Amino acid sequence: MANAAAPVKGTAPEGATSEADASRKVREMFTQIAPTYDRINHILSVQIDRIWRARAANILRPILERPDAKVLDLCCGTGDLTFSLASAGVAQIIGADFAHTMLVRAKQKSAALARSSRAERSAAIPFLEADALNLPFADKSFDLVTTAFGFRNLSNYEAGLREIQRTLKPGGTLAILEFTEPPPGPLGDLYRWYFFKVLPKIGGLISGHRAAYTYLPKSISKFLRVHELASLMESAGYQSPVYKVWTFGTVAFHTATKPG
């Protein structure tokens, strides 16, 4: 667990000397692995990552079904959650990420979907290059801000929460889908063996960038535990933070609202 006397402030890739340096290293990492990112995700999660995103979108459906709702999918990567959100309703959705090559891949996927029966919704989604700690959106812009497996990579978690809150409308919702450390026990031990021993080898072999997939399990083990993230959301000014833990305690889905 994170040390209560020295709470985790944000991600810290190996060699990072400051928050700005940590952010730069994370951007470089995801820029390098973008071409193989989707394939590796689906292989390493045995396709379960699709279920997590679909489940999150289903929970958020009451907002997504509102035609007047505006949604930001932050740290959207190649757009998998963005597309899941789009398929669950009629809300206006924007995808944003700070890694340009990830957005290139998201736009390619959107174009491919535009040639399928899901054309209209997916083709209409704009993908913008933006830093989660300094968003180019006005105050009170969104009814919902989501992020899937990206919040953990912010160099300052509290600053990220406050910047998201700035862009939320009063009463708006924040939803964070993120990996988390499972509890001790046989399943947790199996998970840690897989993430620390197997995942870096497979990810490195396919992507050619083993360092990125060595960073992944380390970033999860150092990340806030589910109750710690809920507490941080509350201390950052959000109301009613709640979370659900899925798949043997390996993934958590947090939601909270901005005061009305």
Side-chain angles (χ1 to χ4, degrees), residues 95-164:
D97 199 281
F98 74 165
H100 178 75
T101 52
M102 286 286 185
L103 295 172
V104 169
R105 178 66 183 136
K107 291 174 183 178
Q108 290 171 344
K109 289 163 69 174
S110 182
L113 287 170
R115 295 190 291 269
S116 74
S117 59
R118 294 170 286 177
E120 293 185 19
R121 288 287 292 147
S122 298
I125 298 173
F127 287 96
L128 308 177
E129 195 165 335
D131 188 333
L133 300 182
N134 186 23
L135 293 171
F137 305 110
D139 296 356
K140 305 175 184 177
S141 293
F142 300 104
D143 298 276
L144 169 65
V145 176
T146 64
T147 176
F149 310 114
F151 185 83
R152 182 188 76 257
N153 298 313
L154 299 188
S155 61
N156 188 312
Y157 302 137
E158 184 174 1
L161 289 173
R162 295 192 183 280
E163 178 66 351
I164 291 169

Side-chain angles (χ1 to χ4, degrees), residues 157-224:
Y157 302 137
E158 184 174 1
L161 289 173
R162 295 192 183 280
E163 178 66 351
I164 291 169
Q165 187 182 82
R166 179 187 67 77
T167 67
L168 278 171
K169 296 177 183 178
T173 298
L174 166 62
I176 300 174
L177 178 62
E178 190 54 86
F179 289 115
T180 187
E181 275 274 309
L187 286 175
D189 292 342
L190 178 62
Y191 167 92
R192 279 175 278 275
W193 170 80
Y194 176 74
F195 258 62
F196 279 92
K197 301 297 184 181
V198 179
L199 183 149
K201 292 180 181 178
I202 297 175
L205 181 65
I206 297 174
S207 71
H209 299 283
R210 180 164 179 168
Y213 289 92
T214 300
Y215 161 79
L216 173 61
K218 289 181 179 179
S219 69
I220 296 169
S221 67
K222 295 176 182 178
F223 186 55
L224 301 166

Side-chain angles (χ1 to χ4, degrees), residues 68-118:
D68 65 325
K70 294 184 178 180
V71 179
L72 172 64
D73 184 27
L74 189 57
C75 307
C76 70
T78 62
D80 276 353
L81 180 61
T82 319
F83 299 130
S84 293
L85 298 173
S87 67
V90 295
Q92 303 172 55
I93 301 174
I94 296 173
D97 199 281
F98 74 165
H100 178 75
T101 52
M102 286 286 185
L103 295 172
V104 169
R105 178 66 183 136
K107 291 174 183 178
Q108 290 171 344
K109 289 163 69 174
S110 182
L113 287 170
R115 295 190 291 269
S116 74
S117 59
R118 294 170 286 177

